[in-house]
Amino acid sequence: MIGLRTRPVALFGAMLTVALVALFPLRLALGAFGLADEGLSAREVTGPVWWGGVNEAHYGNVALGDVSAGLSPIQLFVGRARIDVEGQQGMPNESLHGALSFSRNTAGMDDVTATVPAGDAFAPVPIASIGFDDVSVRFRDGRCERAEGKITANIAATMPQLALPPTLSGNVRCEGGALLVPLTGQAQTESIALTIEADGKYRAVLSVRPTDPTVATGLLAAGFRQVGAGYSLTVAGNF
């Protein structure tokens, strides 16, 4: 009799637990994972944890737009919290998809493809937007452990003294415990070396080797310094 009585109670308890988890708000889940501390913010977060909406999302000063986000139940079994994200961006053919993943001592992104505006995050280095092509990055205990995929920086025409190419691109990699994004043009006379730490600190170095010697005066006036046969401009900040 005891078994017959307790079985319905246990079943009811299990069903109630599943229902509560299924309806757990995404807003509270994002807070529990500490994503605000990682730089993620939004005007509004709606829906349950398994698939909700994040409206007017930002990562630091970078606008991500409206995205759908949901917790992957499979990854929870291996001790990771993986949040899959999808969203439509500015142009009809521009979309964001990929995932953010966290565990006790790791943080990163998985298979992210997107184009996001850079705003003034790297000013005066003229990066207008950044394109991710299947980019995955993993930090473990504050150090870059794995990085792969291609980044393309779309260059704004804000430096008239330089004839920069419209895009600079390169494959990400780990170097010295940080994420290194080495961006170069086809002519190999312009490059941006972007270094990002686990805590969001970054350093961007724009290097140029102009073929016109008269350009040097304008570059020095714009804050560049001469390095060997070229000139470089360095900015640092925090996302």
Side-chain angles (χ1 to χ4, degrees):
M1 292 295 293
I2 295 176
L4 293 177
R5 289 176 180 176
T6 56
R7 187 175 300 171
V9 174
L11 179 60
F12 175 78
M15 293 175 63
L16 179 60
T17 299
V18 171
L20 290 175
V21 171
L23 296 174
F24 190 76
L26 177 63
R27 174 179 57 84
L28 296 180
L30 296 182
F33 296 140
L35 293 186
D37 296 334
E38 299 292 335
L40 183 68
S41 62
R43 181 181 62 82
E44 182 183 33
V45 180
T46 62
V49 65
W50 302 121
W51 203 251
V54 184
N55 300 327
E56 296 183 22
H58 287 74
Y59 181 78
N61 295 324
V62 178
L64 303 178
D66 297 339
V67 299
S68 298
L71 184 67
S72 170
I74 297 176
Q75 292 296 315
L76 291 176
F77 288 104
V78 295
R80 294 175 63 199
R82 174 184 164 111
I83 300 174
D84 295 297
V85 295
E86 290 186 9
Q88 193 67 40
Q89 300 176 283
M91 300 298 291
N93 61 340
E94 290 182 347
S95 61
L96 179 153
H97 64 84
L100 305 175
S101 60
F102 306 88
S103 69
R104 184 176 60 84
N105 57 349
T106 66
M109 64 174 67
D110 299 322
D111 309 316
V112 172
T113 296
T115 299
V116 298
D120 60 355
F122 303 104
V125 174
I127 299 178
S129 63
I130 300 176
F132 296 77
D133 185 3
D134 202 20
V135 175
S136 295
V137 179
R138 177 79 60 250
F139 285 91
R140 180 180 296 275
D141 296 324
R143 294 182 60 83
C144 185
E145 177 184 66
R146 178 178 66 88
E148 58 186 19
K150 183 179 180 181
I151 295 283
T152 299
N154 297 296
I155 305 302
T158 57
M159 288 190 169
Q161 64 271 52
L162 277 179
L164 293 173
T167 61
L168 300 173
S169 61
N171 293 320
V172 300
R173 66 175 186 267
C174 295
E175 187 170 291
L179 172 66
L180 176 63
V181 186
L183 306 170
T184 59
Q186 289 185 340
Q188 301 292 313
T189 55
E190 307 88 9
S191 66
I192 298 175
L194 177 60
T195 304
I196 304 174
E197 305 284 347
D199 60 2
K201 293 179 181 177
Y202 69 84
R203 183 172 182 265
V205 181
L206 170 60
S207 301
V208 296
R209 295 196 307 273
T211 56
D212 184 354
T214 63
V215 173
T217 302
L219 292 178
L220 293 173
F224 283 76
R225 62 185 182 89
Q226 187 169 3
V227 180
Y231 299 83
S232 69
L233 177 66
T234 301
V235 297
N238 200 312
F239 289 115

